[in-house]
Amino acid sequence: MADDRIIVGLDIGTSVIRVAIGEVDESGDLHIVATSAQKSAGLRNGVIVNIEDAKDAIKQAIEAAENKGGILVNSVIVSIGGSQIESQNSRGVVPIRSNSKGGTSAVTREDIEKVIEIATAINFPADREKIHVIPQDYIVDGVAHIPDPINCLGYKLESKVHIVTASKTIIQNIKTCMERSGYGLDGVMLKTLAETQAVTHSDELELGSIIIDFGAGTTDILVLYEGAPISTCSIPVGGNLVTNDIAVVNGIPFATAEKIKLEYGCCYPQMITKSNDLDICLPGIGGQPPGLVKKSEITEIITARMTQILTMAKQAIIKNTSDIIKDLSGNIILTGGAANMEGVVPLTGEVFHTRAVRVGIPESLGGLEEEYRRPEYAAAVGLVVANKGIVAARTGRKKSKRQSGSNNGDENKESLLKRLRKLFF
């Protein structure tokens, strides 16, 4: 039987679909009770291109987690990322409602909602849908850096916000996949935004940090500054290109190249010495005998492509945050499968000219197994952590749902957005 205290994060990746099931106990503590990882199907560069294949793969992944945790899943929160995501910063200004004597007035919740509404009053293309509106700062009468302006006295309230939009078609494809697989959709959430909840520390948010998520088809980036996101972007290259390079250079199948990358992959030649320069066996193709290749040769291939990916990521960050990039003094946090690769931390440090690089590992949240404490699970776990409040909303509405006999999906979406507005404060 399904439990109202269950939260399910579904990270639909180009090559792997990952699921994390969290449960909030009576004391309000969150625990990860089950995870699963299944091969993807019907996706290209993070985008669903075949709904039937994607639906089947999603269903298999969720069922695997259900069986592992002995839990029946009703609905999920889905990550979204890749080239279909766009973002921009905006600002709004409103007068604070004057009191009867015409003096300064205290900021109310209505004032905040109004200033955010004005800040987001932008004419987006018809094919775009807003998925997140996140306040970066509030300013009262010129005084900035006010995390919560409620009850502050003044005449004028300003807000800076970060707006994330996605393709309506992509969102509709996700909804269709979930409907056909038999699961409800609690909402969609930007992948890198979810990851901040699983792998970042409060000081990293304030000092300004960069999350780089290495996917198979794309590499997604989120720049944080003074406790809020200021840039969201994606580059159309990922781990599959690394695998393809290994396959082409050595004349081997893609699947074999992927196995070699996972078992022997290194992207920092300085880490290869005579003692660890292993011989790697290559299968014979077309009747040819098997061959051998040195680990150092594979490392050269991987390093060239990983350097290109990181350089493109750096260029995208500079393009979008040229006036702030020098002020970032937190960490570069690496997530996704390639974050496990030997040498990725020092290589990233060289490309970005910094030593402040680390791998993003989700915090321990209990459970019989802690396989989720790996960078490739950052998004799935982050979806669960970021939406912990959905349990309170769900249990609080339980009586009214039974009376009405219906469930309003738009209410879920609005609830998610309201929580996101307070996500970093």
Side-chain angles (χ1 to χ4, degrees), residues 94-99 105-116 138 140 148-154 156-157:
V94 296
I96 301 172
R97 298 179 184 180
S98 300
N99 58 31
S105 298
V107 176
T108 64
R109 178 60 57 189
E110 289 73 20
D111 292 322
I112 292 176
E113 292 177 354
K114 184 64 176 178
V115 77
I116 290 178
Y138 291 105
V140 177
D148 186 356
I150 291 289
N151 293 327
C152 287
L153 296 175
K156 182 176 67 174
L157 173 66

Side-chain angles (χ1 to χ4, degrees), residues 260-273:
I260 290 174
K261 182 184 75 173
L262 295 176
E263 291 185 12
Y264 304 102
C266 176
C267 60
Y268 200 64
Q270 292 90 322
M271 300 181 77
I272 305 299
T273 64

Side-chain angles (χ1 to χ4, degrees), residues 85-89 128 162-165 230-233:
I85 294 296
E86 295 178 1
S87 70
Q88 70 180 84
N89 298 316
R128 307 298 299 176
H162 185 67
I163 306 169
V164 182
T165 67
I230 60 171
S231 176
T232 303
C233 56

Side-chain angles (χ1 to χ4, degrees), residues 63 96 131 133 135 192 235 282 317 322 331 348 420 423:
E63 287 178 346
I96 301 172
I131 59 172
V133 177
T192 47
I235 56 175
L282 300 178
I317 293 168
S322 58
N331 287 315
T348 303
L420 278 169
L423 202 56

Side-chain angles (χ1 to χ4, degrees), residues 73-89:
V73 171
N74 276 340
S75 58
V76 303
I77 302 154
V78 179
S79 68
I80 188 169
S83 58
Q84 69 267 26
I85 294 296
E86 295 178 1
S87 70
Q88 70 180 84
N89 298 316

Side-chain angles (χ1 to χ4, degrees), residues 48 129 168-181 183 185 188 410 413:
I48 296 172
E129 180 174 336
K168 285 185 177 179
T169 301
I170 300 302
I171 293 177
Q172 185 57 52
N173 285 343
I174 291 174
K175 291 179 179 178
T176 301
C177 275
M178 299 317 303
E179 289 172 0
R180 294 188 183 181
S181 59
Y183 298 99
L185 181 64
V188 296
D410 288 335
K413 181 177 179 181

Side-chain angles (χ1 to χ4, degrees), residues 18-19 29 76 91 127 131 165 187 207 229 256 273 303 322 413:
R18 291 185 174 85
V19 179
D29 294 327
V76 303
R91 64 189 301 158
D127 63 342
I131 59 172
T165 67
L207 292 171
T256 303
T273 64
T303 301
S322 58
K413 181 177 179 181

